[in-house]
Amino acid sequence: MDIEVLSYSKTLPDFLKGAAKFYAKELGLEKSTYKVFIVTDPHLKKDGSNGVCAKTGDREITIALYSRLSVIKMMYTLAHEMVHVKQIAKGQYKHETKRGAIHHYWMGKRVKASYLKRPWEIEAFSRESLLVETLGDFFTKKMQKGKKGKKKI
């Protein structure tokens, strides 16, 4: 899976790309032919969202993240949105606009449900914490390995 990050921040793009690649691997997407664009947006919160995810091209998915989130909240939001990437890439979830209304489909069936009762949201909320914890464990182990290799003076 190809991932590109667009942000005004100097340090955030590398961090987000690394986390997104980690989440993609955990979600079984490393061989996906989709390209994922991650953009940070200081105005997204006006919609009440920390993040959004949508199919924006034939083999392209875009994630928008509210740029003013704390790093930890951004990691949770990115994990949540990467679950949606998995759902779109594997054909589990899709949405389309018909006559000005958005129609949502889960496993091929149209779903009309409130936000927290939508199956794709239930899965994203249930998996985001484990993804963030797994990422944290990965970094902790990596840091511990680095400390073992250094000699004390």
Side-chain angles (χ1 to χ4, degrees), residues 49-69:
S49 300
N50 287 333
V52 293
C53 178
K55 186 173 180 181
T56 50
D58 183 40
R59 306 295 298 166
E60 180 181 293
I61 300 170
T62 300
I63 295 173
L65 300 171
Y66 180 51
S67 62
R68 296 181 179 154
L69 294 173

